[in-house]
Amino acid sequence: MRQGLLLVLAGLLSACGGSTNFPTPTGKGTVRAINAITDGPEIAFYIEERFQESINFKSGGGSTQWDDFEYTFNFEANFFDQAESVRIASPLLKIDAERDYTLVVTGDVANPSVTIWEQAERVFDGTETVFELRFANLSPSAGSVDVYFAAPGTPPVLGEQQGTISFGEIIDAADFAEGEYVLTVTAAGNPADVLFQSTDSTFVPGNASIAILFDGDALDTSPFDVRVLNTLGGGGQLADARFGPTVRFIQASITLPAADIYNDDTLTNVLLANHQFGDVSDNFEFVIGTTPLNYTPAGNPGAILEESGITAAAGTRYNFVMVGNDDDRIGAEYVPNLRSVSTEARVEVYHAADNHPAVDIYLVPRGDTFTIDDRIVNGLDFAFRTVLRRDAGSFDIYLTPEDEDTIIAGPLELDAVLGDVFEVFVFDTVDPATAELRVLPSL
């Protein structure tokens, strides 16, 4: 059905440029969408039946231009109990020339709301020394907030806020000179109750952006998160300077002896003692920036087994994993996929078993038999990871060598409900013909 509608729409749009009875546009406006459903999945955004882009939580697309007509904008999401994507919202909007529209999807994915922010379209010619910024609140838990935007070191003072914003609201745009700024968000009317305070951040001229307060999620160490989205679809995250990164250590190199981990080059501070194969540490608070990591034999700082390091950003949770063998061992950080999504259960599988260059993954209903045609991942390479998305239920995970049917690990039993997130590691065993599947402890 959609293919036919696409062809009809394409004909209508192309006809607008020729001699027809359709109205003639007088100009164009710009449109973009933002996904603000806290526990929602990626959302597909359409103008009429024409696909625009897929948008993750806390993300927004770039602005696109459209003739000043009336359109239905459609949003779709995937549910595991539905064979096809489900249309979850369809607001009708008349585009006016030289106006900018932002469609914000909030609430529950099964019954969302769409709020439309509108302002005059801003056009830059490249000679400006200012940038345009608006401030918005898409945090369901923050309540009404005051927003302060000033040079580093400037404390928030009541009366100097850019505005007071309730959930779903945005304040009028303002121009600021290029330079360094700190964004501070406080409870409304109480500058001493700081909810968020960014690191010093440099803003460049010649662009229009929105700084948006969101709730933090499992990827964040801070309770709130701010994203700056510009009209081109780019932007970035403003981290809360008060919440540093955290790091969890995973020892997955079976040939590495039990080790002490030092977080300095002088080997004076033992961060983690007697870290053995298969160990998964608690979270450690880290400083922002680059920190050296030196592995020495447990109790013997006189010899270094591995030299590594980690570069960590404020407000982010990391895993640091040591993988490989004596000839080719590496330590690397990564951000695990921990965000809970209400429409699915997620299983992130990290392949850390050096004895098996690539594996196939099977995720089958509890107790079921399977064939090679049932694999859901073909050839996950060593030191890579993948995310499996499934409905609620009881499942078994198996591994085989790539393109083979010999089981080398499993069954690992998982009982999942929607919103669950599992971190599963593939470890080597003393038998090089097998591997171990293990669920890591929750953070």
Side-chain angles (χ1 to χ4, degrees):
M1 181 64 178
R2 176 171 296 150
Q3 184 177 6
L5 289 171
L6 279 171
L7 292 173
V8 171
L9 179 64
L12 289 174
L13 291 176
S14 63
C16 290
S19 298
T20 73
N21 293 323
F22 289 104
T24 301
T26 61
K28 294 180 181 291
T30 53
V31 180
R32 64 177 160 186
I34 293 174
N35 180 355
I37 300 178
T38 303
D39 61 351
E42 186 176 76
I43 292 176
F45 176 47
Y46 296 80
I47 180 167
E48 300 290 350
E49 302 300 325
R50 182 172 176 177
F51 174 74
Q52 298 300 291
E53 58 194 329
S54 293
I55 310 171
N56 285 311
F57 173 56
K58 294 193 286 192
S59 297
S63 296
T64 56
Q65 288 191 321
W66 294 93
D67 290 336
D68 55 347
F69 297 143
E70 188 175 69
Y71 303 91
T72 298
F73 292 91
N74 294 306
F75 296 89
E76 295 186 357
N78 289 313
F79 296 79
F80 269 97
D81 59 352
Q82 302 288 331
E84 297 183 351
S85 60
V86 177
R87 186 151 292 176
I88 59 174
S90 298
L92 182 67
L93 176 62
K94 168 62 171 67
I95 302 297
D96 289 328
E98 299 180 353
R99 302 293 291 177
D100 177 74
Y101 301 87
T102 301
L103 286 70
V104 183
V105 188
T106 62
D108 183 88
V109 68
N111 186 29
S113 299
V114 179
T115 300
I116 299 174
W117 297 334
E118 178 186 352
Q119 73 159 16
E121 184 180 354
R122 182 65 178 271
V123 178
F124 292 91
D125 63 14
T127 64
E128 294 84 2
T129 59
V130 300
F131 60 94
E132 178 188 279
L133 191 60
R134 290 185 286 170
F135 303 93
N137 178 3
L138 292 178
S139 165
S141 67
S144 186
V145 300
D146 288 340
V147 176
Y148 298 84
F149 191 67
T154 306
V157 176
L158 195 62
E160 296 181 1
Q161 65 267 37
Q162 297 296 319
T164 300
I165 321 174
S166 297
F167 175 74
E169 293 181 345
I170 189 169
I171 60 177
D172 292 339
D175 283 352
F176 299 89
E178 62 179 302
E180 279 201 337
Y181 290 87
V182 170
L183 173 64
T184 304
V185 181
T186 74
N190 185 2
D193 185 5
V194 176
L195 306 179
F196 178 91
Q197 188 171 71
S198 76
T199 56
D200 297 357
S201 301
T202 301
F203 288 78
V204 298
N207 68 84
S209 301
I210 308 174
I212 308 172
L213 180 72
F214 291 95
D215 281 348
D217 56 40
L219 302 178
D220 305 307
T221 61
S222 56
F224 301 101
D225 184 21
V226 170
R227 301 295 173 96
V228 178
L229 305 178
N230 63 44
T231 54
L232 299 178
Q237 179 181 16
L238 296 184
D240 194 323
R242 304 169 304 158
F243 293 85
T246 64
V247 181
R248 178 173 60 168
F249 291 87
I250 303 164
Q251 213 291 64
S253 173
I254 196 169
T255 59
L256 181 69
D260 296 335
I261 303 176
Y262 291 80
N263 61 349
D264 60 357
D265 285 328
T266 58
L267 304 183
T268 57
N269 185 64
V270 177
L271 178 70
L272 182 59
N274 197 32
H275 192 46
Q276 302 183 37
F277 172 69
D279 283 353
V280 180
S281 77
D282 294 331
N283 284 305
F284 289 88
E285 293 185 359
F286 262 61
V287 297
I288 300 169
T290 301
T291 300
L293 295 171
N294 290 293
Y295 286 63
T296 71
N300 177 18
I304 294 180
L305 298 170
E306 291 293 333
E307 293 180 285
S308 191
I310 182 170
T311 300
T316 304
R317 301 184 189 277
Y318 295 90
N319 284 343
F320 186 90
V321 58
M322 187 65 70
V323 295
N325 57 41
D326 293 340
D327 298 323
D328 187 19
R329 185 182 291 122
I330 60 171
E333 77 266 19
Y334 70 94
V335 178
N337 193 331
L338 300 176
R339 191 174 79 85
S340 176
V341 174
S342 62
T343 59
E344 63 191 32
R346 289 183 171 184
V347 183
E348 181 176 75
V349 180
Y350 190 111
H351 178 16
D354 183 63
N355 288 326
H356 306 278
V359 297
D360 292 345
I361 303 176
Y362 300 78
L363 182 62
V364 299
R366 177 71 46 79
D368 276 13
T369 58
F370 58 90
T371 69
I372 196 169
D373 293 331
D374 297 316
R375 61 191 175 188
I376 60 173
V377 175
N378 177 213
L380 178 63
D381 290 330
F382 168 67
F384 282 76
R385 57 195 171 111
T386 189
V387 176
L388 316 178
R389 294 174 168 86
R390 281 295 178 267
D391 201 354
S394 296
F395 302 98
D396 294 331
I397 300 181
Y398 293 89
L399 298 183
T400 68
E402 183 178 13
D403 296 327
E404 297 182 21
D405 58 7
T406 302
I407 295 173
I408 59 173
L412 174 67
E413 297 182 349
L414 293 180
D415 296 305
V417 299
L418 297 179
D420 274 348
V421 179
F422 300 93
E423 283 188 273
V424 173
F425 252 69
V426 185
F427 288 97
D428 277 317
T429 67
V430 292
D431 179 358
T434 66
E436 178 192 1
L437 284 161
R438 189 191 310 175
V439 178
L440 301 192
S442 299
L443 288 174

